[in-house]
Amino acid sequence: MLRIRAQVSGSGKLMDVLVANGRIAELCPAGVWQNYDLGGSDLHLAPAFLDLQINGYSGIDWNEEDTSVEQITAAVRQLWRTGVVALCPTVITASSDHIARCLANLARAADCSPEVARAMAGIHLEGPYISPEDGPRGAHAREYVGPPDWDQFRRWQDVARGRIRIVTLAPEWPGALSFIERAASAGLIVALGHTAAQPEQIADAVRAGARLSTHLGNGSHAKIDRHRNYIWEQLATDELWASLIVDGHHLPPSVVKCFMRCKTVARTILITDAIAAAGQPPGHYRLGSVAVEVTAEQRVCLPGTPYLAGSVLEMQEAIANAARYGNVTLNEAIRMASANPATLLGLAEQYGTVTAGRPAHLVLLRQADSAHKLNVAATIINGELVYQNDAVLN
């Protein structure tokens, strides 16, 4: 049992929250209890975060063939200090065999580790069905890019034991629409990304069942037609959710503001697209087979080039940046990292609100307005305190 006192997300009120038997048992006005276990009047209690696109964390890369169950479990535990309790580990473009082995590693980890099984909301397959063009392809290896292949995908899904939940692809490939229809019928979330599609091809993909734009505004040409292009088309398509990397490098603040006003808070999802170097010092790292450099400014790029290759963003940073760049409230920014991804994944009954009777997946935050920072004080999963930072709490 936990008693928490904090400003509760969604209500804006200082409340006492009782957590018992893995659930939020009661919310009442602050002061009902004389004592509490966690919190304070200057802390914020929010639903815990979900990350739909993350390639690794704290030195551990899901895109390495030899990543062990223990390493994947360790990365999941390290993510608790960022408030992330559910995620879609992301496997990127590589050879068919390499992708299969990486998927098998993740499936094995979910089978063997209770922490991974609880955290894994599904695997995100980003590629290899993406554009081969420089720019839209991003940092993905050109030699492994190819058209959507349903039989190949089914083999990967079998290896993953049905855990692939999101597939990012470019809809301009021949056969893409048929693939999207099959994937959507099978309950998968089809995302459009790393694409050079014409506006008409975007519209066709949405009619076929695509539901998400992957890191909108990135994985694109440096220069495009100012009116007829795949970014405007996705922005204008209400059926598409948009995921954004709000690290100050992938999208300028003004673009974040425009994108969020266009999609609205209700259809925007914050992701990190973090690589294994997240949580590590600047230096040279790898994203699968791709060499990358993390600069002192926390920019991840192909060495010696301006081209981005993932991020070292953490979700609490993404939320703080989104609130500042997008001119939205902290509660609205939190929604984009909790309730919105939960809704897209069909997990809204488990995540996304601080409501009596719901599972107690919670994060306690302290906002430092002057530094535009958001610090995680504690993370709670199923009513269990799994992470606590006394330096932030006190």
Side-chain angles (χ1 to χ4, degrees):
M1 182 182 296
L2 279 174
R3 290 184 173 91
I4 305 167
R5 179 169 295 170
Q7 302 282 342
V8 173
S9 180
S11 74
K13 297 177 181 178
L14 183 65
M15 304 188 77
D16 287 341
V17 180
L18 176 65
V19 173
N21 300 316
R23 293 187 174 270
I24 301 167
E26 186 179 352
L27 293 94
C28 47
V32 171
W33 312 315
Q34 285 189 329
N35 301 308
Y36 51 89
D37 304 304
L38 285 173
S41 60
D42 57 345
L43 292 169
H44 192 97
L45 186 66
F49 312 141
L50 295 82
D51 195 345
L52 300 189
Q53 188 167 353
I54 179 167
N55 307 281
Y57 188 75
S58 192
I60 296 161
D61 188 349
W62 337 124
N63 288 277
E64 293 287 349
E65 292 187 5
D66 58 353
T67 302
S68 68
V69 170
E70 292 74 20
Q71 288 175 312
I72 294 170
T73 304
V76 165
R77 289 173 175 164
Q78 284 296 311
L79 282 166
W80 295 341
R81 69 183 184 85
T82 73
V84 171
V85 305
L87 63 147
C88 293
T90 303
V91 175
I92 66 168
T93 302
S95 71
S96 182
D97 288 344
H98 182 95
I99 288 174
R101 285 189 282 270
C102 293
L103 292 171
N105 289 341
L106 290 166
R108 187 179 308 112
D111 287 343
C112 298
S113 166
E115 292 97 334
V116 177
R118 182 174 58 191
M120 192 182 293
I123 296 170
H124 184 161
L125 182 63
E126 186 190 9
Y129 311 138
I130 59 173
S131 172
E133 293 186 26
D134 290 347
R137 192 180 71 255
H140 291 241
R142 170 67 184 86
E143 61 266 34
Y144 301 122
V145 170
D149 182 328
W150 185 250
D151 291 336
Q152 178 185 59
F153 174 79
R154 288 304 311 170
R155 290 193 294 271
W156 286 335
Q157 184 70 297
D158 289 343
V159 168
R161 293 195 269 288
R163 294 184 181 273
I164 300 174
R165 187 78 178 86
I166 303 174
V167 181
T168 291
L169 55 76
E172 63 267 28
W173 279 107
L177 296 182
S178 174
F179 184 98
I180 293 170
E181 289 171 351
R182 286 184 172 189
S185 295
L188 292 159
I189 297 167
V190 177
L192 308 181
H194 290 281
T195 175
Q198 295 299 311
E200 295 80 6
Q201 293 170 319
I202 298 291
D204 288 342
V206 172
R207 281 190 289 269
R211 299 173 60 196
L212 174 68
S213 296
T214 288
H215 51 50
L216 187 59
N218 298 116
S220 61
H221 297 97
K223 295 182 179 180
I224 54 178
D225 187 293
R226 71 182 187 273
H227 291 153
R228 284 181 49 78
N229 63 65
Y230 42 81
I231 294 177
W232 275 116
E233 189 67 24
Q234 291 177 83
L235 280 171
T237 302
D238 294 338
E239 294 87 347
L240 287 173
W241 296 74
S243 68
L244 305 180
I245 308 170
V246 188
D247 62 354
H249 301 299
H250 280 78
L251 299 170
S254 59
V255 173
V256 172
K257 186 175 183 179
C258 290
F259 280 13
M260 286 171 53
R261 285 190 173 184
C262 184
K263 281 298 176 184
T264 76
V265 169
R267 301 293 284 181
T268 303
I269 292 173
L270 300 180
I271 57 171
T272 65
D273 198 22
I275 66 171
Q280 303 292 294
H284 291 269
Y285 297 90
R286 301 194 72 82
L287 171 56
S289 63
V290 179
V292 300
E293 180 182 6
V294 180
T295 70
E297 296 76 27
Q298 298 291 284
R299 180 183 175 94
V300 183
C301 54
L302 301 179
T305 79
Y307 300 117
L308 295 167
S311 85
V312 288
L313 181 66
E314 294 181 344
M315 191 59 82
Q316 81 278 9
E317 297 170 336
I319 291 167
N321 289 341
R324 181 158 51 110
Y325 299 165
N327 193 29
V328 298
T329 67
L330 176 59
N331 284 338
E332 288 173 324
I334 287 169
R335 175 181 173 181
M336 293 186 280
S338 57
N340 287 3
T343 298
L344 178 65
L345 288 167
L347 299 175
E349 293 298 314
Q350 298 180 50
Y351 302 96
T353 64
V354 183
T355 304
R358 291 291 187 89
H361 305 309
L362 304 167
V363 59
L364 198 60
L365 305 164
R366 186 184 294 278
Q367 190 173 21
D369 291 331
S370 60
H372 302 292
K373 287 185 66 177
L374 195 61
N375 297 308
V376 175
T379 302
I380 296 163
I381 304 177
N382 282 334
E384 178 188 357
L385 181 64
V386 297
Y387 170 77
Q388 179 174 327
N389 187 332
D390 290 333
V392 177
L393 275 170
N394 300 321

